[in-house]
Amino acid sequence: MIRLRLALIASLLAFFVLAVVPVASVAQRPASRTAQAGAIPSPSAVLGFTPGDDKTIADWGQINNYFTRLDQASDRVSVETIGQSTLKRPLIVAFISARENILALQKYKDIQRQLADPRTVTSDLQKNRLLAAGKGVVAISCSIHSTEIVASQMSMQLAYNLATAQDAGTREILQNTILLLIPSPNPDGVDIVANWYRKTLGTPYEGREPPELYHHYAGHDDNRDWFMLNLKETQAITRLFWHEWFPEIVYDVHQQGATGSRLFIPPFFDPPNPNIDPLLLREVGLIGHKVAADLQAAGFKGVLTNALYDTWWHGGFRTAPYFHNSIGILSEAASARLMSPTTVTSDQLARSSTRGMRSAMETTTNFPDPWPGGVWRPRNIMDMELLAARSILSLAAKYREEYLQDFFELGRKAIDEPVPPDMPIAYLVPAGQARDEAVAKLISSLIDQGLEVYRLDSELHVTYGPQLLQRTNSASERLGSYRTIIAKTSAMQEVPSSSYIIFLAQPQRQNVLALFEPQIYPNRLTAQGEAERPYDVAGWTLPLQLGVDAPAVTAIRESQSERKLTLVKDAKEVRNDLALPLSKAGESPIKNPVSKPIRVGIYKGAIGNMDEGWTRYVFDTFNVPYTSVKDTDFRQDGLSSKYEVIILPSQRARDIIEGNPPTAVPAEYAGGVTAKGVSNLKDFISAGGTLICFDASCELPVKQFNLPLRNVLEGLKTSDFYCPGSIVSLDVDNSQPLAHGLPKATNAYFINSSAFEATDSSVRVIARYDKENLLKSGWLLGEDKLRNQIALAEVSVGKGRVVLFAFRPQHRGQTWATLPFIWNAISTSAK
Ligand SMILES: [Zn+2]
């Protein structure tokens, strides 16, 4: 606390002193004092082991403590707490730079803020001064995926090296850049992995992954949240990055499987997201090749570029920067077994293949020096990551001004770029949609990621562009560029006061497009005619997922001076504006007409399941009470005396029934619900209970209880049908209680999901996939297989019933459009 205050006073003083000095001379000031290496504790002096050594692991308490010690001992390091994790651990960032820069952080933050918004820069003279005075801001983040643990350990070594080294290269880095080092954006997961690793060290399970999600709600999906901002961690770091520091380069350090390349580094594979400026793709490629060349020069083998990972998908730590005019770099080192070494054979390498790499033993231009196999240690991973970080920082230091200039010019282009006639100039979120909470969620996500949103203080008259549907409704258009599709405009229409408007002419223009436009994934097939799998999802259009109407606007009648608009400064305003039920603790969307509570159990098996985590997330967010039901609970009688509703989140029936094999985990984590649990579940339903199944888990009741339904997509080849993470339209029978309050046309999330046909007339169909044009955003091959099939159904079993969602109604906490189906399914279980 004292330290923080001193640092603040020091930086204010420095700002005052520097502010009166002409900026040009500031950049030329020599480093005034060098750090005293002797006084600075090394990681091994604090931890008692050297990070990266076999079978050692530092937990979050130790990492946090090391950074606190470094902050106290080094004038090149300043550590700040930027928030709390989901399970209330401190989230920290270490600012690392030359002493005089650390003393003037506020000044450099101000420069970044001006460069991030070129409208604040009124002359070339001012711009040139900012470019001359500014520092290259680089962010490095470690182990967002907690089993990819080495980078979190590496962060201490990297910080120590930068705090103590005296060589010319380090001095150049310190003088010209400010590093924002995030030892981990998921501290809860670091502890989950550290505790598990220590517990299993020396047992047959040493080095295996823990049998639980390493983020309380999201598990691996903690890196799928960077535009939705559901999680505390993404919220805190997004604030740090896109409201305060605007890093020109963001490097996200990951690990991949053990048997492929030793390290992947960009350039990325195809397809690129069409909303990423080509200049950024080139800069990403340049940095990646520099890292690869430096690793090669240092004798590392097995570095792969141009493979597997693409830039299509929006929502990752390294993809969010592209939509803020910054460079995002990913590295993926081959994993060991957590912090234990592993052995990889040449046979395993020869069999390892992916997009862009036929075999990890084959020499190609993008993989010129395969690694021959052998023992692979955490130390090997750490050495590559340390060198990659060094390489990126060196480039940022050497080309400091160019990186600042490109960042600034991309922002200027976003604001000034002329819009062709009949193309969108803004998106509107009209007032009065009767979905206040979804509108508030949309608007607050936008504001939280630094987008400008205005509220209308009086009505406007606008020309709407074509509906998203019209712009994407033919196969030929989907294969081409939707930007060339000519808009079919209609007459001016009045938009009511209190609506929201998001203009494209703002620094984050590309982010607006990427979030509001439908994604049209190019049809990419292998030589065998199978679908070539994208790295992650193909479509995510935010208003469509949320069920919010957000039409494009191509013209506004009122001139700039006639418009009455208020910039919404804080997302909290929106949440208060709309008087959300969510903001009032204790209120829930469940309508229960009887006084007896509806007790909901959510299945939580020993196999960590992200869909289960996200289910808990939406229930917690909407204040809907539930109990997690374990495998062992299912094996005991009496489910019906404990619950009225049981939910099976999306998971294969086999994984639910069999769970973890006993050879893979200690006995307490082995086995699923077992045949006994399946039989207990049937008794629960027969006695009057409601079973709700999401997507893959439908297979369990359909097959085990012989329900009169068949999944028509089961066993199809991807040449016949493929739909990876896309938004499709449903035709909803909203006369039924399960669909109460939902529009007849509702969008749903389909991610290699299911589609049913009824084999007798007892099935109550609530929603079908649309009869035609059912793709709204993403990629759908073989639309005919999906047309008019059952998407949501209800089947009676004894006195109870099974509700079957063929799609994902709560995917990643993003699909608010379909959450009401879940609440209705629970509400209609009241007895
Ligand atoms: Zn990862």
Side-chain angles (χ1 to χ4, degrees):
M1 206 59 195
I2 291 167
R3 159 78 199 173
L4 273 176
R5 262 190 225 135
L6 283 176
L8 183 67
I9 293 164
S11 67
L12 285 174
L13 276 174
F15 178 56
F16 178 74
V17 172
L18 292 170
V20 296
V21 179
V23 276
S25 70
V26 172
Q28 292 152 15
R29 278 155 59 98
S32 53
R33 190 169 74 85
T34 54
Q36 296 299 307
I40 296 174
S42 67
S44 63
V46 173
L47 298 169
F49 58 85
T50 303
D53 278 357
D54 286 356
K55 307 198 180 199
T56 66
I57 195 163
D59 60 30
W60 189 247
Q62 290 170 297
I63 294 171
N64 193 17
N65 176 51
Y66 180 71
F67 276 94
T68 305
R69 297 279 300 274
L70 206 54
D71 172 285
Q72 288 160 357
S74 169
D75 53 14
R76 295 178 181 175
V77 180
S78 174
V79 177
E80 266 184 36
T81 300
I82 57 165
Q84 272 194 336
S85 68
T86 300
L87 300 179
K88 303 204 176 340
R89 286 178 180 81
L91 280 166
I92 60 168
V93 57
F95 294 86
I96 305 179
S97 191
R99 175 178 178 272
E100 62 270 25
N101 299 341
I102 290 292
L103 291 173
L105 286 180
Q106 185 60 48
K107 172 190 145 178
Y108 292 113
K109 202 156 111 174
D110 287 344
I111 292 174
Q112 289 294 107
R113 204 188 52 239
Q114 292 174 75
L115 290 174
D117 186 352
R119 291 166 298 188
T120 64
V121 180
T122 50
S123 69
D124 276 355
L125 182 67
Q126 188 191 358
K127 180 189 90 174
N128 292 337
R129 280 191 173 176
L130 291 169
L131 295 179
K135 301 297 174 190
V137 177
V138 180
I140 298 180
S141 177
C142 306
S143 302
I144 187 171
H145 291 149
S146 313
T147 49
E148 302 162 20
I149 191 68
V150 174
S152 66
Q153 315 292 300
M154 180 277 291
S155 68
M156 295 178 278
Q157 193 66 50
L158 175 62
Y160 176 71
N161 294 352
L162 290 168
T164 54
Q166 303 293 348
D167 62 285
T170 304
R171 282 169 186 282
E172 187 182 35
I173 288 170
L174 293 170
Q175 199 148 12
N176 289 346
T177 70
I178 296 170
L179 170 61
L180 277 55
L181 177 59
I182 297 172
S184 175
N186 180 18
D188 300 338
V190 171
D191 277 353
I192 287 169
V193 169
N195 293 340
W196 166 258
Y197 183 69
R198 286 169 183 164
K199 182 174 148 185
T200 52
L201 202 56
T203 75
Y205 314 107
E206 176 181 328
R208 286 184 184 272
E209 302 203 344
E212 64 177 300
L213 296 178
Y214 52 64
H215 179 282
H216 180 65
Y217 290 123
H220 197 79
D221 276 356
D222 64 349
N223 197 27
R224 303 290 182 269
D225 189 47
W226 293 91
F227 61 75
M228 194 66 184
L229 310 181
N230 277 329
L231 307 176
K232 285 199 157 63
E233 294 81 1
T234 38
Q235 289 162 8
I237 291 166
T238 298
R239 203 179 311 124
L240 176 78
F241 282 8
W242 311 120
H243 285 266
E244 295 180 19
W245 276 97
F246 306 95
E248 281 86 21
I249 300 173
V250 174
Y251 171 29
D252 193 24
V253 191
H254 285 249
Q255 290 170 221
Q256 55 184 354
T259 59
S261 67
R262 295 303 90 192
L263 186 96
F264 167 83
I265 193 86
F268 289 99
F269 202 73
D270 287 326
N273 185 304
N275 291 309
I276 301 174
D277 195 282
L279 177 61
L280 288 174
L281 291 176
R282 289 300 189 193
E283 287 181 337
V284 166
L286 172 66
I287 291 179
H289 275 306
K290 169 68 173 159
V291 171
D294 286 352
L295 286 166
Q296 192 66 46
F300 290 96
K301 289 175 172 287
V303 177
L304 174 69
T305 61
N306 304 81
L308 181 57
Y309 308 94
D310 61 55
T311 56
W312 179 265
W313 151 71
H314 184 340
F317 203 111
R318 52 99 180 169
T319 61
Y322 307 138
F323 304 97
H324 294 80
N325 306 321
S326 289
I327 299 165
I329 301 290
L330 166 79
S331 75
E332 295 269 0
S335 291
R337 295 180 305 121
L338 298 180
M339 292 304 291
S340 296
T342 191
T343 301
V344 183
T345 66
S346 54
D347 277 357
Q348 285 175 305
L349 291 163
R351 284 197 304 273
S352 177
S353 70
T354 185
R355 294 197 297 179
M357 184 189 77
R358 277 198 306 189
S359 155
M361 289 297 275
E362 184 180 313
T363 302
T364 53
T365 303
N366 63 330
F367 191 57
D369 190 13
W371 180 68
V375 178
W376 185 248
R377 296 180 185 283
R379 170 73 54 214
N380 300 121
I381 300 168
M382 185 181 285
D383 287 346
M384 292 181 115
E385 291 174 348
L386 281 170
L387 188 53
R390 172 85 182 188
S391 190
I392 291 168
L393 287 166
S394 302
L395 263 184
K398 280 194 205 316
Y399 298 98
R400 179 195 62 81
E401 190 162 337
E402 283 86 339
Y403 284 119
L404 296 185
Q405 171 143 7
D406 287 350
F407 172 66
F408 175 85
E409 294 298 344
L410 285 172
R412 182 143 78 178
K413 184 175 161 192
I415 291 161
D416 293 347
E417 193 161 71
V419 179
D422 297 333
M423 288 306 282
I425 56 167
Y427 293 86
L428 261 172
V429 181
Q433 298 199 26
R435 293 294 306 274
D436 280 358
E437 75 280 357
V439 168
K441 179 65 184 174
L442 171 65
I443 300 297
S444 57
S445 300
L446 301 177
I447 294 170
D448 285 345
Q449 63 197 286
L451 279 160
E452 288 166 9
V453 179
Y454 289 87
R455 190 193 302 107
L456 272 58
D457 295 327
S458 68
E459 58 282 356
L460 276 187
H461 296 83
V462 305
T463 306
Y464 286 119
Q467 290 298 301
L468 301 182
L469 169 63
Q470 287 174 291
R471 271 185 274 157
T472 59
N473 67 359
S474 90
S476 62
E477 285 171 358
R478 266 176 226 145
L479 299 180
S481 164
Y482 59 92
R483 295 184 179 293
T484 61
I485 299 167
I486 294 175
K488 305 173 190 82
T489 53
S490 54
M492 286 269 172
Q493 293 181 41
E494 186 175 295
V495 184
S497 173
S498 297
S499 301
Y500 294 95
I501 190 163
I502 301 98
F503 290 101
L504 279 172
Q506 59 173 308
Q508 287 189 49
R509 166 195 291 264
Q510 301 311 114
N511 203 13
V512 179
L513 289 168
L515 295 176
F516 280 80
E517 285 287 313
Q519 281 74 48
I520 304 164
Y521 194 87
N523 221 4
R524 295 180 62 89
L525 303 176
T526 66
Q528 292 73 39
E530 299 278 316
E532 184 199 87
R533 197 173 87 78
Y535 179 66
D536 195 73
V537 298
W540 55 82
T541 311
L542 207 41
L544 297 183
Q545 290 204 73
L546 286 160
V548 170
D549 197 18
V553 169
T554 53
I556 300 175
R557 181 194 291 167
E558 287 81 1
S559 69
Q560 296 271 7
S561 60
E562 290 168 329
R563 300 172 192 171
K564 295 192 173 59
L565 305 172
T566 304
L567 180 67
V568 189
K569 293 237 170 55
D570 189 331
K572 284 197 193 80
E573 283 177 47
V574 183
R575 294 188 275 258
N576 295 337
D577 252 16
L578 296 168
L580 287 191
L582 295 185
S583 63
K584 295 180 201 156
E587 290 195 17
S588 104
I590 305 300
K591 305 283 174 283
N592 184 356
V594 300
S595 55
K596 219 176 118 202
I598 305 170
R599 293 165 300 175
V600 178
I602 298 176
Y603 171 61
K604 183 187 173 82
I607 297 178
N609 175 13
M610 290 183 279
D611 203 61
E612 180 272 332
W614 285 120
T615 307
R616 278 186 286 109
Y617 174 82
V618 296
F619 275 63
D620 286 347
T621 302
F622 281 82
N623 305 314
V624 180
Y626 63 89
T627 308
S628 288
V629 194
K630 306 276 174 63
D631 292 307
T632 46
D633 301 325
F634 272 85
R635 294 174 213 157
Q636 289 160 17
D637 296 335
L639 286 174
S640 58
S641 66
K642 295 178 196 143
Y643 308 103
E644 279 71 43
V645 176
I646 289 177
I647 296 176
L648 298 181
S650 184
Q651 192 170 19
R652 292 190 311 169
R654 191 182 144 180
D655 288 343
I656 297 173
I657 298 168
E658 295 177 16
N660 291 305
T663 49
V665 286
E668 64 205 277
Y669 304 103
V673 302
T674 71
K676 172 78 171 123
V678 173
S679 147
N680 286 341
L681 189 58
K682 182 148 190 201
D683 291 346
F684 160 81
I685 305 163
S686 302
T690 295
L691 174 68
I692 301 174
C693 298
F694 297 159
D695 196 349
S697 72
C698 293
E699 185 194 358
L700 188 144
V702 167
K703 292 198 174 154
Q704 299 287 328
F705 307 155
N706 292 316
L707 302 188
L709 288 162
R710 188 179 79 86
N711 179 7
V712 299
L713 303 177
E714 190 176 317
L716 289 185
K717 286 203 215 157
T718 64
S719 48
D720 295 326
F721 179 82
Y722 191 62
C723 186
S726 300
I727 301 169
V728 298
S729 59
L730 305 183
D731 179 7
V732 178
D733 177 0
N734 53 12
S735 68
Q736 304 208 42
L738 263 177
H740 175 75
L742 279 124
K744 187 167 161 48
T746 293
N747 294 315
Y749 209 81
F750 191 102
I751 177 162
N752 301 312
S753 298
S754 320
F756 295 108
E757 68 179 11
T759 53
D760 75 28
S761 60
S762 69
V763 175
R764 292 185 294 283
V765 178
I766 318 297
R768 289 182 181 274
Y769 295 107
D770 250 336
K771 289 191 188 67
E772 55 182 1
N773 295 330
L774 51 82
L775 178 64
K776 290 291 169 271
S777 183
W779 189 21
L780 171 57
L781 267 178
E783 184 176 300
D784 57 311
K785 299 287 190 300
L786 203 55
R787 277 183 205 145
N788 210 30
Q789 300 293 358
I790 297 171
L792 176 57
E794 198 177 24
V795 179
S796 296
V797 176
K799 291 184 196 158
R801 62 184 175 139
V802 183
V803 177
L804 301 111
F805 286 86
F807 56 94
R808 301 279 182 96
Q810 73 331 354
H811 184 250
R812 293 177 179 170
Q814 298 176 5
T815 55
W816 288 35
T818 46
L819 294 182
F821 283 125
I822 306 175
W823 313 141
N824 289 341
I826 295 172
S827 299
T828 52
S829 307
K831 289 198 205 80

